Each structure stands twice: as structure tokens, then as C-alpha cells.
Amino acid sequence: MSREKLLEVKNLKQYFKSGRHSVVKAVDGLTFDIYKGETFGLVGESGCGKSTTGRTIIRLYDATDGEVWFNGENVHAKKSRKELKKFNRKMQMIFQDPYASLNPRMTVKDIIAEGIDIHGLAKNDKERTERVHELLETVGLNKEHANRYPHEFSGGQRQRIGIARALAVEPEFIIADEPISALDVSIQAQVVNLLKKLQNDRGLTYLFIAHDLSMVKYISDRIGVMYFGKMVELADSDELYKNPIHPYTKSLLSAIPLPDPDYERNRKRVPYDPSMHDTSEEPEFREIKSGHWVLCTTKEFEQYKAEMENK
């Protein structure tokens, strides 16, 4: 895998007003990079700001502060329609709810071809139809599905249609916002395997947002863990599972069930108590070992380092 940066997120903030005087810090100073060809997993419990992060990166929301650089260009500096159109072709999103994200009044053909039409990617109606049929087959459906409507499909099939729509403009980067959370467990693995195959075939880069850590480990090269708008830990997928450092990460991992009755009988949940942290200074994102970053104070940094050395 090349180590060429495709996306750089620098001190990204997304604040929303709540009532007259209070502010919700949905994303509060995130900094991370995503490299070409990798899958970067972003995990955390509901409400931690991970979906807001994805939506801010793709400019569904304007950032309160910070920068997002894609292919060396500042995403939030783009203002003209022409610039935004060019950017939207390179970055696409797969949404969480396959029921709500497809227009029920449009045929599958028109849903998938929407991006093709906007960007003028087909010379005529014959080429447009051919592209739609090809995309349907790419995601495991067939061309006979093109003239049907979304309500005629199952959840898994609808998500495949959503994936085909995202692929229609030949993007480099796809933000998958909890793409499997609304699907049956039996279908989830099929959709994740499809995403992995498409990545290999097309050289795609993913930001994969989810709260299911076991599935994120399966698909991701690196994982960032979010808690209340901040990233608390970032490491290679295997490293994060073998050597979790931040207490919140340990708590999340302790909640993953395994298909092993003996293990489950003795599994101990690790509760997370935010009040246990050192409050003598503002925590910073520090590299505890090569490629493994943790949000901590100086005192906690020394403590975590000693923990790792004693393992």
C-alpha cells in the first residue's frame, strides 16, 4: 500500500447551536490523514460525532473551523459551482439508511444515472443505460432491476443500489457512513465483502464509519476511536486490538461478543469512567509508539508508556 496522503484533516471542528446559549461540539479538533488505497475505520458510540465528521469532510456541512485537504486542495475553500462539481465527482458517500437515501419516486436506473447525468459522463441514452447495467452487475444485481423502484428491493439490495450510485461517477474516495448498521447480520458480511472487492478492483480509498468494532477490524487498515467529538486513539487495526491504550478503547473492545460460550461466560466488561483522567492539563494527541497515537496528558503519556513496556 502506498503511503501517499489522499486526505488530510487538520484540527477540524463542527459546532452546532443548541437553544439560545449552548453549543454542541459535535467534532472538536480532529486531526488525521488517510492514505491512497487504504480503509480508515472511524468508530465510537452513537452521538460521538463520527457521522458529522464524514458529512463535514464531504461538505454536506461547512466546517466551523479547521481544514480538510483532498489531493492537496483545500476542500472548504472551494466556492464556485464548477469547483464543487469537480470535487463531488472525486468524493462520494454511501449513507446509513438504504430505505431513506433512495428516492422512492425514481427508478433504479434514474437513481444510479443521476451522477452520470450531472457530470455528463454518457454521450447518449444508450451509453447511459449500458453504464447503469454494468454498475448493477458490478454490485451483484442484474440489469432487469434497472426499471424497478426502491420499494421492490430488500435492505441489502437497496444498499447495493446506493453503492452503485456512488460508483457511477468513478470516485477516488468513498465515505461509507455506517453502511451496514441497518441491515440483517447475514447480509452485513456480503456488503462488506463487496466493498473490499470494489476497493481491490478499482483502487478505492474508504473512510468506513461504524460502531461495530469487530466489522471495522475486518475491513480497516487503520482505526480511529472517537469519544464526544474527539479522537482518543488511532493505530493500525491489529495493533489497536492487541494493544489498546486509552481506557475508552479498552471499554469498547471488552464489549465485543465472541462465538465462544466459555469466553462469554467469563467475559468481563471494562466500564469507562471519564472522571479517572488527569485534569492537571489539557490532553494532547501523542504518539506512544510508531503509528499509535493516544489523547493524553504528559502524566498519562508516561503511565501508558510504562504499561506498554511491562506487557
Side-chain angles (χ1 to χ4, degrees):
M1 185 177 68
S2 77
R3 301 301 283 175
E4 186 186 341
K5 286 180 190 175
L6 182 67
L7 186 86
E8 295 175 72
V9 176
K10 300 178 180 179
N11 197 33
L12 187 67
K13 295 179 181 177
Q14 183 58 262
Y15 297 172
F16 298 109
K17 281 188 176 175
S18 175
R20 193 175 289 179
H21 302 295
S22 63
V23 170
V24 175
K25 296 181 178 182
V27 179
D28 193 16
L30 286 196
T31 297
F32 62 95
D33 302 323
I34 298 179
Y35 298 99
K36 273 192 178 172
E38 83 166 334
T39 298
F40 186 95
L42 194 59
V43 297
E45 61 198 77
S46 296
C48 72
K50 55 192 187 297
S51 290
T52 304
T53 299
R55 286 164 181 253
T56 306
I57 287 170
I58 204 169
R59 271 199 70 166
L60 288 176
Y61 301 142
D62 284 327
T64 304
D65 197 7
E67 297 174 347
V68 176
W69 291 79
F70 180 73
N71 263 336
E73 295 180 2
N74 189 340
V75 170
H76 287 267
K78 294 181 185 298
K79 296 286 187 267
S80 72
R81 284 185 69 177
K82 189 180 175 185
E83 282 180 316
L84 288 170
K85 189 174 169 183
K86 189 181 169 191
F87 163 69
N88 288 338
R89 187 178 167 189
K90 292 177 183 175
M91 191 185 292
Q92 286 286 303
M93 195 162 196
I94 299 164
F95 293 93
Q96 177 177 359
D97 188 347
Y99 298 90
S101 63
L102 305 179
N103 188 333
R105 293 186 181 85
M106 289 170 74
T107 63
V108 166
K109 179 179 177 180
D110 288 338
I111 287 168
I112 294 172
E114 206 169 4
I116 294 169
D117 297 342
I118 290 166
H119 294 279
L121 301 179
K123 296 187 190 78
N124 50 46
D125 194 55
K126 181 175 180 286
E127 191 178 316
R128 179 184 189 259
T129 302
E130 283 170 0
R131 285 184 77 119
V132 170
H133 288 171
E134 189 186 308
L135 284 160
L136 282 168
E137 282 169 8
T138 299
V139 298
L141 298 172
N142 58 60
K143 60 185 184 183
E144 284 72 36
H145 290 131
N147 296 316
R148 296 186 190 172
Y149 289 86
H151 74 267
E152 298 177 65
F153 296 89
S154 67
Q157 288 174 318
R158 287 186 209 194
Q159 198 57 291
R160 287 171 188 267
I161 294 163
I163 293 167
R165 174 177 59 186
L167 292 173
V169 295
E170 297 169 0
E172 290 178 58
F173 181 65
I174 291 178
I175 298 172
D177 182 14
E178 303 222 31
I180 57 172
S181 64
L183 306 178
D184 290 347
V185 175
S186 57
I187 306 298
Q188 289 181 357
Q190 291 176 22
V191 172
V192 167
N193 286 335
L194 171 62
L195 290 171
K196 287 184 84 163
K197 183 179 185 301
L198 291 169
Q199 184 174 43
N200 291 333
D201 294 349
R202 294 171 177 243
L204 293 166
T205 305
Y206 292 137
L207 171 60
F208 189 87
I209 298 167
H211 59 259
D212 179 353
L213 263 162
S214 51
M215 194 57 83
V216 171
K217 180 180 187 292
Y218 175 64
I219 195 172
S220 304
D221 298 295
R222 291 185 303 139
I223 297 172
V225 180
M226 276 188 80
Y227 180 75
F228 273 91
K230 292 187 181 292
M231 193 172 286
V232 296
E233 191 160 359
L234 190 163
D236 287 350
S237 179
D238 287 340
E239 167 68 15
L240 190 85
Y241 273 72
K242 287 175 190 163
N243 298 309
I245 296 170
H246 196 278
Y248 178 66
T249 309
K250 289 179 179 177
S251 178
L252 279 185
L253 288 170
S254 75
I256 298 175
L258 291 178
D260 178 344
D262 292 331
Y263 171 83
E264 285 301 310
R265 212 172 288 121
N266 301 307
R267 176 161 62 99
K268 288 185 174 65
R269 286 291 305 270
V270 178
Y272 176 57
D273 179 6
S275 67
M276 66 187 282
H277 288 289
D278 174 34
T279 54
S280 62
E281 62 174 284
E282 194 68 29
E284 287 178 25
F285 216 40
R286 303 165 199 256
E287 195 170 20
I288 210 128
K289 64 187 268 195
S290 181
H292 195 152
W293 296 77
V294 186
L295 186 71
C296 56
T297 62
T298 310
K299 186 179 170 185
E300 287 171 335
F301 181 70
E302 297 304 329
Q303 180 193 322
Y304 294 156
K305 266 199 126 169
E307 260 179 49
M308 287 196 82
E309 284 161 12
N310 292 330
K311 274 188 177 178

